[in-house]
Amino acid sequence: MTAKQRIIQVGSYAGSPTANDRLARDYDVVELWKYPDRKAALAEHGTGITALVTSASFGCTAEMIEALPDLKAICSWGVGYETLDIAAAQRRGIQVSNTPDVLTDCVADLAWGLMIAAARRIAYGDRFVRSGAWGQVHGSIPLGSRVSGKKLGIVGLGRIGQAIAKRGTGFDMDVRYHSRRPRDDAPYRYEASLVDLAAWADFLVVATVGGPATYHLISREVLEALGPKGTIINIARGPVIDEAALIQALQAGKVGSAALDVFEHEPKVPDELKANDNLVLLPHIGSATYETRSEMENLMIANLESFLATGKVITPVTE
Ligand code: 8YV
């Protein structure tokens, strides 16, 4: 029997069906999250380790990379990688993989769930029924807005943005998008100005990457352009929206509503957002279905296995 290969796992995959068990079964895992002093743990166990598994929430800093002199592959669970220091990995020739494609449909579905829930007051109505208010209060809940046939603006037309756009055509919506540059293969109108896209849209869906390039891209100006009848939906990363500006715009009635799966300082959600009954707030569950999380786990482990067997990951992050 050959000895199990040693790897480092940065965090516990609580949101994945069997990732922790599979890794523990097949590898000699240094479970970094169990050590109170990570630096000491890396110094003690790091030498000789060639592969590390992580996710966007666990990250992989330059400091961690430096502490692992033999590291050659970082295999991440999830598509986002803004907390992995790609530049530091590239300087050392370390391969980095993520899990694209397998979560596209579920994240796009959730964007739609949020959009319809906000427009048709689904979460509000649910609270109204559960609280016993129905029947006691005269009438019902305030009227919502129609979704079908409206104007859908998408910020970022990558894989997930395109899947959201495709669903929009099924709802007879007019779809436009903004991204760093126009796509030749997209049958939707490109808006070079994000403010113009927001001013045009009824629903503005954020589907960009996270990280410094998109930090606070959805600014006060963009929110005010969206206006009192507009709804902002975010299934991307919290810091893409200037959350303080969003709170102010909502309080001043300068933007209509928001439906958010992600927040600037997760898992902290500002009380001002929680207090607003027009909003729909979810705990970062875009990819959280049994099917998708299983596929993310399979792809993360396939990348790890491929690297250890052939020296190459399957789905490298392309920067
Ligand atoms: C995960 C995600 O829930 O893939 C991503 O980038 O946001 C989600 O699928 C998230 O990575 C949890 O860390």
Side-chain angles (χ1 to χ4, degrees), residues 108-109 111-113 115-116 147-154 157 160-176 187-188 200 203 205:
D109 290 349
W112 277 87
M115 197 186 316
I116 297 174
V147 173
S148 292
K150 290 279 183 73
K151 295 176 194 149
L152 173 62
I154 301 181
L157 203 71
I160 295 171
Q162 289 180 65
I164 294 167
K166 187 171 149 197
R167 283 155 177 74
T169 57
F171 280 76
D172 298 324
M173 289 175 107
D174 187 358
V175 181
R176 296 185 187 176
Y188 316 106
W200 168 83
F203 299 95
V205 182

Side-chain angles (χ1 to χ4, degrees), residues 55-57 77-80 103 237 284 287 293 296:
S55 75
S57 26
W77 176 94
V79 70
L103 44 68
R237 286 294 185 256
H284 198 150
S287 66
R293 288 286 170 87
M296 286 161 66

Side-chain angles (χ1 to χ4, degrees), residues 32-265:
L32 199 58
W33 73 96
K34 293 190 176 165
Y35 291 85
D37 184 347
R38 285 177 168 218
K39 225 173 163 181
L42 290 170
E44 189 183 341
H45 304 288
T47 308
I49 291 188
T50 58
L52 172 148
V53 294
T54 189
S55 75
S57 26
F58 309 144
C60 184
T61 59
E63 204 184 8
M64 214 179 267
I65 291 172
E66 263 167 45
L68 295 167
D70 302 304
L71 192 66
K72 295 202 168 49
I74 297 168
C75 301
S76 192
W77 176 94
V79 70
Y81 51 81
E82 72 284 358
T83 53
L84 314 186
D85 199 325
I86 305 289
Q90 280 171 347
R91 280 197 295 277
R92 281 259 310 272
I94 295 169
Q95 298 176 57
V96 183
S97 64
N98 61 347
T99 61
D101 299 318
V102 294
L103 44 68
T104 299
D105 282 329
C106 278
V107 178
D109 290 349
L110 194 83
W112 277 87
L114 282 169
M115 197 186 316
I116 297 174
R120 303 300 310 275
R121 300 191 193 276
I122 291 176
Y124 184 107
D126 181 83
R127 289 194 293 276
F128 183 78
V129 171
R130 286 173 198 279
S131 70
W134 194 23
Q136 290 175 17
V137 175
H138 178 66
S140 186
I141 61 175
L143 298 178
S145 339
R146 179 182 291 171
V147 173
S148 292
K150 290 279 183 73
K151 295 176 194 149
L152 173 62
I154 301 181
V155 185
L157 203 71
R159 300 175 180 92
I160 295 171
Q162 289 180 65
I164 294 167
K166 187 171 149 197
R167 283 155 177 74
T169 57
F171 280 76
D172 298 324
M173 289 175 107
D174 187 358
V175 181
R176 296 185 187 176
Y177 72 102
H178 169 81
S179 55
R180 272 168 294 183
R181 58 196 88 78
R183 295 187 67 112
D184 301 335
D185 55 349
Y188 316 106
R189 179 162 149 181
Y190 176 70
E191 288 288 351
S193 152
L194 176 52
V195 170
D196 289 352
L197 181 72
W200 168 83
D202 296 304
F203 299 95
L204 190 68
V205 182
V206 183
T208 57
V209 295
T214 55
Y215 180 76
H216 285 189
L217 183 68
I218 306 296
S219 59
R220 183 177 55 80
E221 195 190 0
V222 173
L223 291 164
E224 289 183 6
L226 182 59
K229 292 215 164 100
T231 299
I232 181 96
I233 293 107
N234 191 3
I235 46 75
R237 286 294 185 256
V240 181
I241 298 183
D242 180 341
E243 208 165 67
L246 174 63
I247 291 169
Q248 279 172 11
L250 286 162
Q251 286 174 339
K254 290 184 173 171
V255 71
S257 183
L260 310 168
D261 183 43
V262 289
F263 300 88
E264 197 162 344
H265 305 287

Side-chain angles (χ1 to χ4, degrees), residues 5 7-8 23 27 50-53 73 75 97 298-310 312-314:
Q5 280 170 294
I7 64 163
I8 286 216
L23 291 168
Y27 300 94
T50 58
L52 172 148
V53 294
C75 301
S97 64
N298 289 343
L299 187 51
M300 184 262 291
I301 292 177
N303 272 301
L304 175 67
E305 283 173 355
S306 168
F307 165 72
L308 292 171
T310 70
K312 284 243 173 293
V313 298
I314 305 165

